[in-house]
Amino acid sequence: LALYFHSGEREEKCIIEDVPTDTLVIGNYKVQRWDIHKQEFLESAPGLGMFVTVTTPSAEVLLSKLYGPQGTFSFTSHLSGEHIICLQSNSTRFVAFSGSKLRIHLDIRVGEHFLDESVVRAKDKVNEVNFRLEHLIEQVHHISKEQNYEREREEKFRKTSEETNSNILWWAIVQTLILISIGIWQIKSLRDFFISKKLV
């Protein structure tokens, strides 16, 4: 997931990332500040930092840390489900920057370990193949986790659908019985009315 969004200073922006259990999540971000005079976003935002908070599906705070204007954060999920990743710029000492518009570039990798190409090139071919094989095995494990997680979600959805269908069926039966009861009661009331008025 790679995206960018605009934010005011000290304004919190959150995204939801669906993550399987025991999965490494790595996030890279960069903050750019709007320059009123140049009418463009500057490449760096001195004096600003980003406060990163990660909350689990059970509302437990997994990560809460202040970083610089550009950085990398990572966490490992303990529960499968929707993790909320929030970024908020900290207050600055520079009054001129207060309330300025920010552009935040965010790149989130789920279950991926980045290859250090310089390390790979420095090793001989056998080690390079071994290193890449280990990386591929990690990717296969991650794909397997993702599939298991999707299978669990599909099973939950199927159970919910079956329960909903069952409830609808019972509600239809109850409605039918109520309509039949009202119909019988109306017929009996009408018959009694005709008999009392000696119309029958």
Side-chain angles (χ1 to χ4, degrees), residues 6 34-35 45 53 57 76 82 87 94 110 114-115 123-124 138 146 149 158 161 173 175 183 190 192 199:
H6 293 145
W34 177 255
D35 189 290
T53 309
T76 302
E82 293 181 341
L87 291 96
F94 302 100
V110 179
F114 296 111
L115 284 172
K123 294 178 180 290
D124 59 19
E138 281 180 7
E146 284 276 0
Y149 178 54
R158 188 168 39 81
S161 297
I173 291 169
Q175 278 184 321
L190 200 59
D192 291 345
L199 297 172

Side-chain angles (χ1 to χ4, degrees), residues 45-85:
L48 283 173
M50 291 304 292
F51 196 71
V52 180
T53 309
V54 178
T55 310
T56 66
S58 62
E60 175 194 351
V61 176
L62 196 60
L63 174 70
S64 182
K65 191 175 176 183
L66 179 64
Y67 295 88
Q70 184 171 350
T72 300
F73 62 90
S74 64
F75 65 92
T76 302
S77 60
H78 304 303
L79 290 171
S80 58
E82 293 181 341
H83 288 65
I84 301 171
I85 302 169

